[in-house]
């Protein structure tokens, strides 16, 4: 007598059967099927050869949650700092049309704006942090992807023009109101430089409030 375990692999299941062979007689001892549960699009992705393990999906969702939680903490800290300094914008400023908001961001680089207007810009900066590479020091010398090369080339362009990100977008939107801002990503360094430029300009008008300590905390 010979006992055989047979397996049948499917896209979302494993079938099995335990078979006895004795001379010319074959009998099935037991059989069953193990279903692999998939959630959302996992099953479809698996059949396309693009499936992800549950751990990989959990890691992706957990990373997204952490990123959102950190954003909320940064936002809360900034709001508290602006309220304490009487810089938190009113409803009119919070609902300022985008074209006027870009104009204000351009103006803040070289001219005085109100503290509440500055607060509105800081809340805006809080939403956009720019691109930052996650590449380790050991991989710094590796060739950039096409995406990263484009990000860097945009940064070099505004440096040559001696413009901040806000000034560049304001200039482009003045020429073409349908200019795609979201498609033009800049490195985080460029946002930090614009923040520093605006704060240094406004500090000359509000030295008692915009101290070096307060700016560094922001």
């Amino acid at each position: 007598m010979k006992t055989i375990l047979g397996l049948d692999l499917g896209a979302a299941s494993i079938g099995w059967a335990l078979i006895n062979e004795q001379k010319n007689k074959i009998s099935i001892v037991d059989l069953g099927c193990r279903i692999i549960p998939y959630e959302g699009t996992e099953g479809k992705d698996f059949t396309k050869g693009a499936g992800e393990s549950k751990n990989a999906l959990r890691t992706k969702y957990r990373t997204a949650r952490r990123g959102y939680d950190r954003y909320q903490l940064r936002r809360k800290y900034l709001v508290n700092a602006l309220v304490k300094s009487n810089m938190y914008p009113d409803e009119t400023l919070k609902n300022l049309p985008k074209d006027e908001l870009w104009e204000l961001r351009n103006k803040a680089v070289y001219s005085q704006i109100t503290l509440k207007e500055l607060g509105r810009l800081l809340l805006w900066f809080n939403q956009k942090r720019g691109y930052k590479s996650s590449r380790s020091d050991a991989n710094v010398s590796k060739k950039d992807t096409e995406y990263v090369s484009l990000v860097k080339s945009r940064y070099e362009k505004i440096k040559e023009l001696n413009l901040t990100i806000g000034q560049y977008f304001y200039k482009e939107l003045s020429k073409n109101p349908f200019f795609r801002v979201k498609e033009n990503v800049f490195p985080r360094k460029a946002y930090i430089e614009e923040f520093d430029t605006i704060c240094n300009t406004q500090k000359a008008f509000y030295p008692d409030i915009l101290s070096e300590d307060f700016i560094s905390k922001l």
Side-chain angles (χ1 to χ4, degrees):
M1 183 176 68
K2 183 166 62 174
T3 303
I4 302 172
L5 177 63
L7 296 175
D8 180 36
L9 301 178
S13 64
I14 300 176
W16 60 273
L18 188 63
I19 300 171
N20 272 340
E21 287 188 6
Q22 189 173 14
K23 295 184 179 179
N24 295 325
K25 295 180 68 176
I26 298 177
S27 61
I28 298 175
V29 178
D30 202 357
L31 53 78
C33 181
R34 171 64 176 168
I35 305 297
I36 303 171
Y38 286 109
E39 299 174 3
T41 60
E42 287 181 55
K44 295 177 183 178
D45 290 340
F46 186 87
T47 57
K48 294 177 184 176
E52 294 182 83
S53 69
K54 281 197 169 185
N55 284 340
L57 288 170
R58 289 193 190 102
T59 299
K60 183 168 69 175
Y61 295 141
R62 184 168 59 247
T63 301
R65 285 196 304 272
R66 284 177 178 172
Y68 180 74
D69 289 343
R70 287 168 183 166
Y71 165 73
Q72 291 292 338
L73 286 173
R74 288 195 305 271
R75 189 78 172 179
K76 183 179 178 181
Y77 181 89
L78 177 59
V79 167
N80 289 338
L82 295 178
V83 170
K84 288 178 181 177
S85 303
N86 199 29
M87 292 174 61
Y88 191 73
D90 55 27
E91 289 302 313
T92 302
L93 277 172
K94 284 196 283 187
N95 296 311
L96 201 66
K98 265 297 172 68
D99 58 337
E100 294 182 33
L101 200 52
W102 282 113
E103 184 179 4
L104 180 64
R105 187 162 161 179
N106 172 69
K107 179 184 176 182
V109 173
Y110 60 83
S111 182
Q112 183 181 13
I113 60 175
T114 69
L115 285 172
K116 290 186 183 295
E117 286 175 335
L118 177 58
R120 178 64 184 90
L121 292 182
L122 292 175
L123 288 173
W124 195 9
F125 274 114
N126 181 246
Q127 294 176 303
K128 297 285 186 180
R129 307 191 74 208
Y131 168 80
K132 184 178 180 181
S133 174
S134 59
R135 184 180 294 177
S136 64
D137 293 338
N139 295 318
V140 167
S141 60
K142 286 188 176 181
K143 186 178 179 180
D144 290 329
T145 63
E146 183 180 352
Y147 175 83
V148 175
S149 296
L150 283 172
V151 171
K152 289 183 175 180
S153 67
R154 289 190 199 104
Y155 176 59
E156 292 302 321
K157 180 179 180 180
I158 65 171
K159 292 289 283 184
E160 290 174 7
L161 295 171
N162 195 29
L163 298 173
T164 63
I165 298 173
Q167 287 180 305
Y168 171 71
F169 283 147
Y170 175 67
K171 182 180 178 182
E172 293 299 320
L173 287 166
S174 297
K175 293 186 294 185
N176 175 18
F178 301 105
F179 178 77
R180 301 287 294 177
V181 172
K182 289 185 178 180
E183 293 178 3
N184 288 268
V185 180
F186 282 88
R188 186 171 300 177
K189 182 179 179 181
Y191 282 93
I192 293 172
E193 289 175 354
E194 183 178 6
F195 170 86
D196 290 340
T197 300
I198 290 176
C199 285
N200 286 332
T201 298
Q202 300 308 314
K203 183 172 65 174
F205 302 106
Y206 308 104
D208 295 338
I209 296 175
L210 298 176
S211 63
E212 288 293 339
D213 182 59
F214 182 65
I215 292 173
S216 66
K217 285 179 180 179
L218 291 177

